[in-house]
Amino acid sequence: ERLNRYQQGVNLYVKNLDDVIDDKRLNEEFSVYGNITSAKIMVDDKGNTKGFGFVCFSSPDEATKAVTEMNGRIIVSKPLFAALAQRKKERKQHLAAQN
């Protein structure tokens, strides 16, 4: 199932999150764009936010709309970065191809 999320383009990588944003708030901010199957902020072993997370939608269209609308939007005090999530290997290949 995890592999399918990447292949279907429904999982978003979201970074530059303010420290006060939790899973619930992340879900609320993105839910206007469609049905969210999961929204998770990554935290360290002490429970402190790492400033990034993932939002998974039920369809690629919803995910694409969310990226278009949310990327660069100010949430709390920071401009959000949102993009379709990629596996590390794919991201490295993509970056290498650009250079």
Side-chain angles (χ1 to χ4, degrees):
E1 182 188 332
R2 208 172 193 178
L3 181 63
N4 282 343
R5 288 184 189 168
Y6 287 102
Q7 291 171 339
Q8 294 170 355
V10 296
N11 199 23
L12 303 186
Y13 169 65
V14 184
K15 70 177 183 179
N16 205 30
L17 296 170
D18 196 278
D19 291 348
V20 300
I21 297 177
D22 59 8
D23 293 351
K24 184 175 183 261
R25 174 78 186 267
L26 188 65
N27 192 315
E28 289 169 0
E29 294 289 347
F30 280 85
S31 64
V32 295
Y33 303 106
N35 182 39
I36 293 176
T37 58
S38 68
K40 185 80 180 140
I41 301 287
M42 298 295 109
V43 294
D44 63 19
D45 54 1
K46 294 180 178 140
N48 300 317
T49 179
K50 290 185 173 183
F52 73 95
F54 296 91
V55 179
C56 191
F57 284 90
S58 59
S59 84
D61 290 343
E62 293 168 344
T64 301
K65 182 167 185 183
V67 167
T68 303
E69 298 290 328
M70 293 297 285
N71 190 39
R73 179 171 290 175
I74 305 289
I75 304 293
V76 184
S77 64
K78 294 180 172 183
L80 197 71
F81 173 86
L84 290 175
Q86 294 177 301
R87 291 194 176 281
K88 193 177 245 181
K89 183 178 175 185
E90 291 170 2
R91 192 171 63 247
K92 283 183 177 178
Q93 288 173 342
H94 182 76
L95 290 172
Q98 288 180 331
N99 293 333

